[in-house]
Amino acid sequence: MLDLKAFRRDLHAHPETGFDLIRTSKAIGEELEKAGLEVTYGVGKTGLVATLRRGPEDTAIGFRADMDALPITEATNLPYRSGIEGKFHGCGHDGHSTMLLGAALELAQDPTLKRTIHFIFQPDEENGNGAAAMIADGLFDRFPMAEIYGLHNMPGMALGHFATQSGPFCAFEDNFEIRIQGQGGHASMPEKGVDPIVVGAAIVQQLQTIVSRAISAKDHGVVSVTEFITDGARNILASNVSLRGDCRGFHQDVSDLIESRMRAIATGVSAAYGASAVVDYSTSFRPLVNDPHATETLSAAARQTGKLNNAYGRVGFSEDFAEFLTHRPGAFVLMGNGTEGSNAMPLHNPSYDFNDVAISHGIAFWCQLARQGL
């Protein structure tokens, strides 16, 4: 019998990031192979899919867990803390993988199960590239499935509690860079140049009006400037300024509105000061939209194995699972990681840790979902 707590802590001590998941995927795959599942490596570079064939393909479903760690340094003093400087399982993907592995091992021992399940272990969730890579590698063609489901731990939510909702659930993430060109010069003679720092400051101020004046109060939108970069010095007026940042919301029309207003503000304000601006705007994560039927199926499994919070609402972070939901109906759920200590630290915090007690709750949920509706 595999010690899942020890397995999770081993993953935690040996974090891998992005698509560089050779050790992680091998460790997971070997345990699945021992249990008799069909394991396919290298789906989307270092992703893997383990199949438990117990029913017809038209009723097959997919369960997904992410495997990658974050490129940050761990700040805990845990005995199993990361052994790799600058890499850390600060989002609980070590726990997600362990729970799905545990569910696969348990379901493999259930002779009453009459459904085919594809257990999907995804690389590079944090950068938003892993789902697309697996899809491009033929995930849904090679492993037909009618629905797909995902789960993420939530610090601060009590153990055994779950939260989801139909429709938009996790926000999109857009990224932008505004490059402003002015005319540099001597700091003592600003009148002889065009100061792009002044232009940039004015643009930062005006960008705040997108949410406060262009987006309806019934819609959610966030525009955050997170970097202000210049090529000036102590006594040199800059010639160039770059503004970078992040935008969030739940609907494509909000994304489109933010982009159009940003372009108008950047070019208009720059022209007023005699400068020029170029805007690069891109989407890193789509909004995650839960299918209504799949949400009810998922909710029923959560109610059977714990307490479902129907009033939790939407969450502002983004999730690469959204990409899968543009190809197949499905749903995504949050599961409590605990309310005390490192288990309640925010995701991506250097002092966060996945709660090993949550492993059994996650396995129970996945197993109930596998049997739901049969």
Side-chain angles (χ1 to χ4, degrees), residues 304-315:
Q304 288 292 321
T305 54
K307 181 178 176 58
L308 180 65
N309 185 342
N310 292 312
Y312 194 81
R314 303 178 297 189
V315 292

Side-chain angles (χ1 to χ4, degrees), residues 14-362:
H14 300 88
E16 295 176 308
T17 55
F19 287 103
D20 183 23
L21 299 170
I22 304 302
R23 183 187 188 278
T24 303
S25 59
K26 183 173 183 290
I28 294 168
E30 287 178 348
E31 295 299 334
L32 292 163
E33 287 174 327
K34 291 177 187 176
L37 282 79
E38 303 171 17
V39 178
T40 305
Y41 294 93
V43 182
K45 299 182 180 178
T46 50
L48 68 89
V49 178
T51 300
L52 183 63
R53 296 193 186 278
R54 293 290 178 79
E57 286 192 351
D58 60 351
T59 61
I61 54 177
F63 293 166
R64 172 274 206 172
D66 34 22
M67 299 185 290
D68 55 322
L70 289 161
I72 59 178
T73 297
E74 182 171 359
T76 77
N77 291 314
L78 296 167
Y80 50 88
R81 74 185 307 275
S82 170
I84 303 175
E85 188 72 16
K87 295 184 179 183
F88 164 50
H89 269 296
C91 202
H93 296 185
D94 50 346
H96 300 167
S97 293
T98 301
M99 290 187 293
L100 191 58
L101 169 62
L105 299 180
E106 183 170 324
L107 290 168
Q109 300 300 314
D110 182 1
T112 68
L113 183 68
K114 303 300 181 185
R115 168 176 277 165
T116 291
I117 303 172
H118 301 295
F119 299 92
I120 302 160
F121 294 85
Q122 181 199 321
D124 202 32
E125 188 281 326
E126 294 293 355
N127 296 311
N129 298 316
M134 296 190 84
I135 293 165
D137 206 9
L139 174 69
F140 294 117
D141 297 323
R142 297 163 64 185
F143 310 95
M145 61 191 79
E147 296 175 337
I148 186 168
Y149 294 91
L151 176 153
H152 203 292
N153 81 94
M154 179 52 61
M157 184 189 294
L159 285 166
H161 286 225
F162 296 86
T164 191
Q165 70 173 36
S166 179
F169 187 43
C170 300
F172 65 73
E173 181 187 1
D174 293 346
N175 307 114
F176 65 86
E177 180 175 11
I178 302 171
R179 298 191 300 278
I180 305 160
Q181 183 172 9
Q183 181 177 311
H186 200 286
S188 68
M189 296 178 284
E191 76 281 2
K192 296 185 180 297
V194 177
D195 189 350
I197 293 179
V198 173
V199 180
I203 290 174
V204 170
Q205 293 281 18
Q206 290 302 311
L207 289 179
Q208 307 313 305
T209 67
I210 296 175
V211 172
S212 66
R213 288 295 178 267
I215 296 176
S216 171
K218 66 181 176 59
D219 295 323
H220 176 86
V222 175
V223 177
S224 296
V225 179
T226 57
E227 296 181 79
F228 196 125
I229 305 164
T230 84
D231 62 357
R234 180 182 59 82
N235 61 348
I236 301 170
L237 292 179
S239 294
N240 299 281
V241 161
S242 290
L243 306 177
R244 295 174 183 165
D246 184 276
C247 305
R248 305 287 173 132
F250 293 95
H251 299 282
Q252 186 60 47
D253 59 345
V254 171
S255 172
D256 295 340
L257 179 57
I258 292 173
E259 180 180 3
S260 65
R261 292 299 305 139
M262 181 177 294
R263 291 185 184 280
I265 288 169
T267 56
V269 170
S270 295
Y273 283 89
S276 62
V278 175
V279 179
D280 291 331
Y281 195 95
S282 61
T283 296
S284 296
F285 293 87
R286 302 174 186 266
L288 187 151
V289 182
N290 283 336
D291 174 80
H293 172 74
T295 302
E296 183 48 45
T297 300
L298 180 150
S299 298
R303 285 190 292 265
Q304 288 292 321
T305 54
K307 181 178 176 58
L308 180 65
N309 185 342
N310 292 312
Y312 194 81
R314 303 178 297 189
V315 292
F317 61 72
S318 302
E319 235 299 336
D320 197 26
F321 187 77
E323 192 69 26
F324 293 126
L325 294 181
T326 66
H327 294 262
R328 290 294 185 277
F332 190 73
V333 69
L334 301 178
M335 186 190 80
N337 194 56
T339 59
E340 297 180 357
S342 60
N343 306 141
M345 287 290 182
L347 298 170
H348 295 207
N349 184 290
S351 296
Y352 161 90
D353 187 36
F354 181 84
N355 193 339
D356 289 317
V357 181
I359 294 174
S360 61
H361 293 280

